[in-house]
């Protein structure tokens, strides 16, 4: 729930539209000039005199995959790139339009009013306007006065409302919830409970006001996390430590193409998804060719349901990407702190509500990570008259974004390894969403409070985070199959062996979408994407496998409205046939969605997925029971998964990796 | 299966017994002088003229916990330490003796012949002798000649034989299996299959020889992993990268006590367990006192069952700690490669079969790890007229050992975090155990081969690794309880809320051992160890929780002999009341054990564990289906778990951690 968005500050900085020194890549995000062009075309098409037009989303309309792949195969210098198009979601006179603008021909090529359930992303501007409404609403002011709070210390945020079975509700609503500063910047630890201000975003007016009861606002003491506000005793200070690359980094960035070691990939930014990794490919030194692994990967949705049933809390079942924009909420990364000394930073552009480009500084950092890990090693003492020790330290490449969706900070890493692995990690930090309460000691609590008492008057609410990744793997080509290699305990017929059992590998190729659904924790299996038309020399199908991290699934009933909307979390892994329109696991219109356009709904068609261009959807989940250590700011908790080559190479591709040059520091 | 042990090379180095500059800590490992004293006392007690004495294990006989804790509470400079004792397991005239030698009074205080099942650790010397026997055995030489192999290129290893229901077998046996060098140092990729040489270790003679059939020995091509043996084309070389601490490390080492940040702990070495972390405690800046977390933690057993039923393979169900010695197999860590530039190294001593001390160089490295991760952060844009960004980069302390048990290299890390977390990680690398085969292409295979064809004639056998950690947690004192906080999906009564469900936390305190057994993956729960007599100010029990990594359990039938021996893997987590004698999850005498003295057997008494000094046993598991990338050397695959403070502190203990000093490199 962004309150005052960072990007309004960016607006103050002049947007300089620099000529690009490199040719466009078809997957490059829209440039400031292109964003300006989109808004010019559409404000001409729907003039402001007769139309109330707001841009809820502008991004690249991705070229068709076959057009892009065919362009890639040709001489890219001489062949024109596929036409540049923008995908726009706009509210025009209180209707949602899905629009495609052709930027080569300066025209609208598609414009459709959406009549289904759900609404587009919220803009920062309308959230700010909604928040401001509360502060001018006399009953709200009275409620603040009654609590003996100072209105100038009150800040508010806009919360999406979800869907709870209402038959008809064709209004874009938010609930405005407020917090108290007064001696701290940690407003999230100081909720002003029991006041509900419901705002219609299109009308931009308050349609309902409730002040249910008075609950103590937690004190400011101990909540501020700024270095400047801390009092002794301090903990021990560690000595300085840094990473040094005297000869510079090993990667290059050419426009949006990043090249490092054997890897190259395209890195783009999207207001909804944040980082998009495309065309991730690895150069196979043995085959002398570049082999594609991932056509496109990004975080498709973040589902964050809270488990508190009180009136101001029950509806908090957020879709952080589809409602608030995982990219929109990206923050400026701090050199030496968010990223190590050897990091390189990248900016991005988004469109404001009026369509004009806004520069976001340092939204990505890219760095080589050298953590002291070992890529591979062995010590051999059995060879007569010599001890063989071979060790290769591990260096990886990390692409990082941090998205601060109101209180929570998501640290989003894509890590590329020399082994051909890709590791996706999300770290959760930032501030909890807490409920104000009159309780000051646990012994007073005799009812269900849906959370942990973290400090006096402060309940840390139970909640989940589910991050669903869209992974369009193209393992050495588009046509792939999903194979579950089950590890099955097998009894040995009596007397045929001194052993009574072993496990065998039973590989099942998923023919349809329903074959491919996986709930982790129920059985042991390797989860593979193979190319059924490519084999290694000795006959194994080339593939990659997905190695899960923690095993977390939803704990809501399937018929609960929030779970119907978030049904894409029902399985940890799904596989769908590639379909350009199926990007957003929670549906294109996530706000107030009803589950009719999500991953679970799409797969109910049970389409064929064998030897087809397939997409994996994998969900990283967290159940979060808060503990006092999460107060007033949370230590990072991380989880993730790995995509690891599995018979993709003929042998260990790092066999020939030379040991790192020893850098002897002058220090 | 160590073939030629590294430590024999160490023997060549003079063992210099240096006076220690610091006072002994009662948990310090035995010094070279103490090891010498033990062997002198026992060879006097059992003179060589009449006794055949071999030392299978010598280590510190840990002081009683109450004696140690009482010593810790006193003035340690003035109070004498508890008497130093050595724990010895020896074979004397073909019988196993368990002996305790008092080093203060130079006498044997306990000497008992063991009459139960199972045998002690194998010594390197007897393995070498057994391996050498094969090479002088005429039928073996004939078998090698028949295969047209050169005997001078053959190297052999000793494999423990397990137990398969034999009623009576009172012999210490190994099977000697051999490999072929001839152009490679990667002997493990060149097994000479189908020859079985069974050796009686006490008699040191061959008691059985079988040569079953002739199988192709895989070629040497492509197996050598030495840098010097690689041919172009090479992969891209990365630029140099290193870690720099211009003001030196932030930790100190005083004897065996390591102090870093808020942490201090004792680091010891044991031939069987490898690193032992004791008395890990954290200084609580708010409470102005040091609070203990872990009394003693170590890897108790490694169970590595293979899934190949062929005659030379079915019995391969190794106990790498109890049979081969996880510490005994430690290798000398390579500066700049196994550990980063800022690492500090420690040596250790073991006893040879004759009891004499052997110095092992660089068995531990200790370093601060700065990987670019973020300890905590938040960006706040809602505070009027300022953007607040606070970020603390993460630096941790790692203690590393690498144990190379024959072909496999285990990278064993204990990581301490400023947050109070301890993270235990094991990385698997090194060489697979492969079976020679006549198959050269997968299409030829129509039978169960129990593995993956990795290269011509090379089958990578399916297998598991289970590492069971002994974790004697003392969370703020000895008397602790184990609490399972179950996350339970709960239906909401109709109409009482727009929601239909939520999850609630149902905490159950384990009263007895059977209450505490956990199979991961079946339910969602936070797994806590709390101190039931200590609460935070607001009333939560102080605790730590165990956060599992991957979820892996055994896939052998419960009645299979290997699984009866390895029954400590049946649950991922067990809790027992502290008992000084219950150290080794697979039993004190693991070789040929029968499961009557393992963790599963102990817990069958179902003892009370509530508000008692308790020990957690946690198993990190891997099911390993080999892939071609694992050939000829395996990329590291890691897993582990975390112990994280959970209401242990009043709030985030890193709130006051200052940002790292920015080190501006001169490079």
């Amino acid at each position: 729930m962004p309150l005052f968005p960072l990007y309004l500050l960016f607006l103050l900085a002049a947007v300089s539209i620099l000529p690009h020194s490199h040719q466009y890549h078809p997957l490059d995000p829209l440039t400031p000039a292109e964003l300006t062009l989109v808004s010019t075309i559409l404000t001409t098409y729907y003039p402001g005199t007769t139309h109330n037009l707001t841009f809820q989303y502008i991004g690249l309309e991705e070229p068709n995959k076959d057009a892009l792949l065919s362009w890639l195969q040709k001489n890219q210098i001489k062949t024109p790139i596929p036409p540049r198009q923008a995908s726009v979601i706009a509210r025009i006179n209180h209707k949602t339009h899905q629009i495609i603008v052709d930027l080569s021909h300066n025209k609208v090529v598609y414009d459709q009013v959406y009549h289904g359930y759900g609404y587009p992303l919220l803009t920062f501007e309308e959230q700010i306007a909604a928040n401001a409404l509360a502060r001018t609403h006399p009953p709200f002011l009275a409620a603040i006065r009654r609590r003996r709070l100072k209105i100038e210390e009150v800040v508010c945020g806009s919360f999406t409302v979800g869907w709870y079975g209402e038959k008809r509700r064709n209004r874009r609503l938010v609930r405005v919830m407020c917090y108290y500063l007064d001696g701290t910047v940690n407003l999230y630890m100081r909720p002003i409970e029991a006041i509900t201000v419901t705002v219609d975003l299109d009308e931009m007016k308050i349609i309902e006001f409730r002040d249910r009861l008075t609950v103590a606002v937690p004190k400011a003491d101990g909540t501020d996390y700024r270095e400047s506000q801390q009092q002794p005793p301090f903990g021990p200070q560690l000595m300085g430590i840094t990473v040094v690359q005297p000869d510079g980094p090993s990667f290059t960035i050419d426009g949006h193409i990043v090249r490092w070691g054997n890897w190259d990939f395209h890195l783009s930014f999207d207001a909804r998804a944040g980082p998009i990794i495309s065309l991730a490919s690895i150069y196979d030194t043995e085959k002398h060719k570049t082999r594609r692994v991932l056509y496109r990967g990004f975080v498709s949705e973040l589902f964050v349901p809270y488990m508190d049933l009180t009136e101001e809390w029950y509806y908090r079942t957020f879709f952080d990407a589809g409602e608030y924009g995982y990219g929109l909420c990206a923050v400026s990364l701090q050199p030496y702190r968010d990223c190590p000394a050897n990091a390189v930073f990248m900016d991005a552009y988004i469109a404001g509500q009026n369509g004009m480009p806004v520069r976001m500084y340092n939204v990505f950092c890219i760095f080589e990570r050298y953590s002291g890990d070992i890529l591979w090693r062995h010590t051999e003492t059995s060879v007569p008259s010599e001890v063989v020790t071979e060790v290769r330290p591990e260096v990886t490449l990390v692409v990082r974004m941090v998205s601060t969706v109101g209180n929570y900070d998501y640290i989003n890493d894509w890590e590329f390894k020399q082994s051909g692995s890709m590791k996706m990690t999300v770290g959760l930090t930032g501030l909890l969403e807490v409920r104000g309460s009159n309780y000051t000691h646990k012994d007073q609590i005799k009812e269900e409070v849906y959370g942990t008492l973290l400090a006096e008057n402060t309940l840390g609410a139970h909640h989940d985070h589910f991050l669903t990744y869209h992974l369009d793997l193209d393992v050495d080509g588009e046509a792939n199959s999903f194979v579950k290699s089950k590890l099955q305990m097998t009894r040995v017929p009596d007397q045929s062996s001194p052993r009574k059992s072993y496990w065998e590998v039973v590989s099942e190729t998923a023919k349809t979408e329903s074959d491919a659904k996986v709930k982790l924790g129920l059985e042991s299996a390797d989860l593979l994407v193979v190319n059924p038309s490519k084999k290694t020399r000795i006959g194994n199908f080339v593939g990659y496998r997905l190695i899960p991290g923690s095993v977390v699934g939803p704990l809501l009933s399937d018929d609960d409205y929030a779970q119907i909307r978030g049904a894409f979390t029902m399985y940890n892994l799904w596989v769908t046939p590639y379909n350009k329109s199926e990007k957003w696991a929670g549906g294109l219109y996530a706000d107030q969605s009803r589950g009719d356009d999500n991953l679970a709904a799409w797969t109910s068609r049970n389409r064929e997925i064998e030897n087809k261009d397939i997409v994996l959807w994998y969900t990283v989940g967290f159940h979060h029971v808060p503990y006092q250590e999460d107060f007033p700011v949370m230590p990072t908790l991380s989880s993730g998964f790995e995509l690891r080559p599995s018979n993709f190479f003929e042998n260990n591709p790092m066999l020939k990796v030379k040991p790192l040059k020893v850098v002897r520091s002058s220090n």
Side-chain angles (χ1 to χ4, degrees), chain A:
Chain A
M1 293 58 55
L3 311 191
F4 292 90
L6 188 55
Y7 97 81
L8 286 193
L9 298 169
F10 292 154
L11 269 179
L12 305 174
V15 174
S16 58
I17 303 172
L18 296 169
H20 280 250
S21 62
H22 68 102
Q23 207 203 359
Y24 280 127
H25 188 284
L27 295 176
D28 283 357
L30 297 181
T31 63
E34 288 175 325
L35 290 169
T36 305
L37 183 57
V38 169
S39 88
T40 306
I41 292 168
L42 282 174
T43 49
T44 310
Y45 205 76
Y46 290 112
T49 46
T50 48
H51 294 84
N52 182 356
L53 166 67
T54 57
F55 292 93
Q56 310 294 131
Y57 170 84
I58 307 181
L60 176 74
E61 171 69 19
E62 182 194 338
N64 283 328
K65 189 166 175 178
D66 49 2
L68 180 67
L69 293 180
S70 119
W71 176 80
L72 279 175
Q73 280 171 356
K74 291 175 189 150
N75 181 326
Q76 292 163 30
I77 303 297
K78 293 187 182 163
T79 314
I81 67 166
R84 293 280 288 176
Q85 298 189 325
S87 167
V88 178
I89 296 175
R91 288 288 287 178
I92 303 174
N93 294 342
H94 301 188
K95 287 195 184 338
T96 298
H97 286 241
Q98 188 174 2
I99 299 168
I100 297 174
V101 178
D102 188 310
L103 296 166
S104 317
H105 305 92
N106 293 1
K107 65 175 184 187
V108 173
V109 292
Y110 180 89
D111 181 1
Q112 200 78 40
V113 174
Y114 174 70
H115 295 289
Y117 298 120
Y119 296 107
L121 278 83
L122 280 60
T123 69
F124 279 139
E125 291 86 340
E126 62 197 5
Q127 292 177 62
I128 292 164
N131 300 344
L133 278 183
R135 294 164 51 97
T136 58
H137 191 58
F140 180 80
L141 296 173
I144 295 299
R145 270 196 307 276
R146 192 163 49 249
R147 285 170 173 79
R148 300 172 186 280
L149 303 176
K150 294 170 269 185
I151 186 67
E152 64 276 16
E153 297 291 335
V154 172
V155 288
C156 302
S158 291
F159 290 62
T160 51
V161 299
W163 171 64
Y164 289 90
E166 301 88 347
K167 288 279 176 287
R168 203 76 214 126
R169 185 170 74 187
N170 49 4
R171 285 175 136 176
R172 293 179 65 230
L173 301 180
V174 288
R175 299 239 160 82
V176 174
M177 296 285 154
C178 300
Y179 299 90
Y180 203 53
L181 292 168
D182 199 28
T184 185
V185 295
N186 197 345
L187 53 119
Y188 289 101
M189 294 306 113
R190 305 198 72 195
I192 304 169
E193 286 295 333
I195 300 174
T196 307
V197 182
T198 307
V199 174
D200 180 317
L201 288 179
D202 287 329
E203 303 287 346
M204 198 47 76
K205 67 177 189 196
I206 293 172
I207 61 161
E208 198 188 338
F209 178 84
R210 290 247 309 162
D211 183 8
R212 199 162 60 91
L213 65 151
T214 303
V215 177
V217 174
K219 295 190 193 78
D221 301 358
T223 63
D224 207 314
Y225 46 84
R226 284 173 298 179
E227 187 192 354
S228 61
Q229 300 304 302
Q230 304 312 314
Q231 301 298 325
F234 297 111
Q237 170 81 344
L238 299 183
M239 299 294 185
I241 185 167
T242 194
V243 177
V244 172
Q245 293 186 284
D247 304 320
S250 314
F251 60 88
T252 60
I253 303 178
D254 176 15
H256 290 266
I257 300 282
V258 181
R259 292 187 181 87
W260 173 80
N262 281 330
W263 280 103
D264 62 87
F265 59 89
H266 183 277
L267 170 63
S268 181
F269 177 85
D270 180 75
R272 182 159 181 173
I276 299 180
I277 304 289
S278 301
L279 300 168
S281 306
I282 192 154
Y283 183 76
D284 186 327
T285 18
E286 193 169 340
K287 291 196 162 58
H288 303 289
K289 65 174 197 172
T290 298
R291 301 169 70 194
R292 194 159 68 245
V293 177
L294 181 76
Y295 180 71
R296 207 168 155 84
F298 56 89
V299 172
S300 174
E301 193 52 275
L302 290 89
F303 178 43
V304 188
Y306 282 77
M307 297 298 141
D308 189 322
L309 300 186
T310 53
E311 188 174 319
E312 296 78 17
W313 278 78
Y314 76 86
Y315 61 84
R316 302 191 191 190
T317 51
F318 305 113
F319 286 66
D320 280 345
E323 294 173 345
Y324 293 105
Y326 196 47
L328 219 51
C329 295
V331 301
S332 283
L333 297 168
Q334 306 292 305
Y336 300 100
R337 295 191 174 184
D338 278 313
C339 313
N342 58 332
V344 168
F345 294 82
M346 272 176 83
D347 299 342
Y349 293 89
I350 53 165
Q353 181 176 291
N354 62 3
M356 295 311 290
V358 180
R359 186 171 189 161
M360 299 175 77
Y361 291 90
N362 289 8
V363 291
F364 293 143
C365 72
I366 302 166
F367 61 92
E368 287 170 275
R369 177 185 172 105
Y370 170 58
S371 60
D373 284 340
I374 298 170
L375 191 57
W376 62 260
R377 80 170 317 289
H378 185 61
T379 298
E380 185 57 67
T381 54
S382 308
V383 178
S385 77
E386 63 172 318
V387 175
V388 176
T389 301
E390 289 284 337
V391 188
R392 300 294 178 276
E394 177 153 55
V395 179
T396 64
L397 184 78
V398 175
V399 175
R400 173 169 295 169
M401 180 190 79
V402 172
S403 181
T404 302
V405 188
N407 52 317
Y408 253 97
D409 296 55
Y410 295 97
I411 303 163
N412 191 99
D413 284 357
W414 287 79
E415 188 174 9
F416 296 84
K417 301 193 173 218
Q418 290 177 280
S419 61
S421 274
M422 301 175 69
K423 200 172 158 190
M424 279 56 79
T425 306
V426 60
L428 302 181
T429 175
L431 313 171
L432 282 173
E433 219 163 277
V434 303
R435 178 153 68 88
S437 152
N438 293 328
Y439 295 121
T440 55
H441 194 280
K442 199 184 174 210
D443 293 349
Q444 300 158 355
I445 304 176
K446 310 289 177 203
E447 55 167 354
E448 173 66 86
V449 292
Y450 313 111
T452 309
L453 192 68
L454 299 176
E456 291 189 4
N457 308 118
T458 310
L459 288 167
H462 299 152
H463 62 282
D464 297 322
H465 298 265
F466 295 104
L467 288 96
T468 300
Y469 285 77
H470 169 109
L471 302 163
D472 180 1
L473 287 171
D474 281 4
V475 176
D476 226 0
E478 296 95 79
N480 288 174
S481 292
F482 177 69
V483 176
K484 234 184 275 189
S485 281
K486 295 184 182 179
L487 277 48
Q488 290 186 343
M489 199 267 276
T490 308
R491 287 201 73 92
V492 179
D494 275 355
Q495 316 303 332
S496 69
S497 162
R499 284 276 281 270
K500 296 190 176 180
S501 66
Y502 70 109
W503 54 259
E504 60 179 334
V505 176
V506 178
S507 291
E508 291 173 3
T509 301
K511 305 220 174 303
T512 66
E513 289 174 289
S514 68
D515 294 343
K517 296 171 183 174
V518 175
K519 269 189 199 176
L520 294 173
L522 301 181
E523 59 182 8
S524 294
D526 277 6
L527 306 170
L528 293 140
V529 173
V530 302
N531 186 323
S533 34
K534 299 243 170 91
K535 287 181 175 180
T536 60
R537 272 197 301 274
I538 53 165
N540 293 304
F541 288 119
V542 306
Y544 260 71
R545 75 184 189 279
L546 189 148
I547 304 180
S550 55
V551 173
V552 173
L555 289 171
L556 292 175
S557 67
D558 290 349
D559 65 341
D560 202 351
Y561 297 107
Q563 188 58 32
I564 290 168
R565 300 174 66 217
F568 53 94
T569 60
M570 201 185 305
Y571 294 91
N572 298 89
L573 190 141
W574 316 62
V575 181
T576 59
Y578 173 78
N579 179 330
K580 191 180 164 189
S581 74
E582 293 176 3
K583 279 170 132 174
W584 309 111
L588 177 59
Y589 301 104
D591 179 34
Q592 296 187 45
S593 62
R594 299 190 178 190
D596 49 7
D597 175 37
N598 62 19
L599 175 56
W602 309 332
T603 61
S604 66
R605 282 175 281 170
N606 201 19
R607 293 164 290 186
E608 292 189 355
I609 54 169
E610 188 178 6
N611 199 8
K612 295 226 180 311
D613 188 0
I614 56 176
V615 176
L616 255 69
W617 304 80
Y618 182 77
T619 296
V620 176
F622 300 83
H623 295 303
H624 194 168
V625 177
Y627 291 93
Q628 285 185 239
E629 284 78 3
D630 294 329
F631 179 91
V633 58
M634 294 180 288
T636 305
L637 186 66
S638 294
S639 191
F641 63 102
E642 184 178 343
L643 290 169
R644 191 169 172 114
S646 301
N647 299 333
F648 185 81
F649 295 106
E650 294 291 340
N651 57 21
N652 184 337
M654 301 170 301
L655 180 64
K656 293 180 176 182
V657 167
K658 296 199 175 178
L660 274 181
K661 273 187 262 180
V662 172
V663 178
R664 289 189 202 276
S665 162
S666 52
N667 292 103

